[in-house]
Amino acid sequence: MDRPSRSPSPTDKPRGAFAAEVRDFFKTAGWGELPSPASSDLGRLFKAPSEGAWASAASFGNSPSIRYSTVHGVKGMEFPGVVLVLPDRLRVDRVTERTVLDDWEGDHDTEARRVLYVAGSRAQALLVCAVHRKHISRVAALLNAAGVPYVQS
């Protein structure tokens, strides 16, 4: 994905203006071969926060509040957008000596792979995979093999 020239900043803006800036940010992002999201979808996904949430965020040095949890904490729930993070160091199972990516590549039915599925399947409309650069080629190969459309940036 081609990146827009700057990221949205909530500093010194009313909540509605910040939400509009976020929507504009995604409208102008390069989506590669994927169609860009419709304005109505962006409006639904990136609504202005409530007055209470915006006031709360202002008390933390003007950084917007972001809901987050562990995978186990959101089991059974859904969200319009989810960011799934695969860090540099992946946990190695003591018994199998494999990581979740090893399990995914080998089509192993393991708890680690089920947890990854639960995490990704919480997204209703947008799933962002924040993958450490050392794992990008492996994840891209897995997505390509499964025919999953994605944009890599």
Side-chain angles (χ1 to χ4, degrees):
M1 176 190 311
D2 297 328
R3 294 183 188 144
S5 60
R6 62 184 184 85
S7 298
S9 171
T11 307
D12 299 325
K13 288 186 185 80
R15 63 191 179 93
F18 177 68
E21 188 175 342
V22 169
R23 289 188 295 270
D24 289 342
F25 177 85
F26 281 106
K27 278 183 205 172
T28 61
W31 290 90
E33 295 177 20
L34 297 175
S36 60
S39 292
S40 60
D41 291 337
L42 290 173
R44 187 174 38 79
L45 287 170
F46 301 105
K47 296 178 183 175
S50 68
E51 287 289 348
W54 194 247
S56 173
S59 69
F60 291 108
N62 282 330
S63 58
S65 67
I66 298 172
R67 291 175 49 189
Y68 65 93
S69 180
T70 64
V71 174
H72 296 291
V74 296
K75 194 170 183 175
M77 300 168 73
E78 289 184 319
F79 305 91
V82 170
V83 177
L84 180 113
V85 179
L86 286 176
D88 172 19
R89 293 186 359 221
L90 300 175
R91 184 181 161 278
V92 176
D93 184 274
R94 290 185 183 132
V95 176
T96 66
E97 297 183 354
R98 294 188 306 253
T99 68
V100 68
L101 288 180
D102 298 328
D103 290 340
W104 190 2
E105 289 168 333
D107 199 25
H108 300 288
D109 184 16
T110 62
E111 178 65 14
R113 190 166 172 211
R114 286 188 291 276
V115 168
L116 187 66
Y117 170 79
V118 167
S121 64
R122 302 304 90 201
Q124 294 170 314
L126 177 66
L127 174 62
V128 175
C129 295
V131 178
H132 189 274
R133 69 179 140 262
K134 90 180 202 186
H135 305 302
I136 289 174
S137 61
R138 291 177 75 186
V139 172
L142 287 160
L143 295 174
N144 286 330
V148 176
Y150 66 95
V151 175
Q152 183 176 324
S153 65

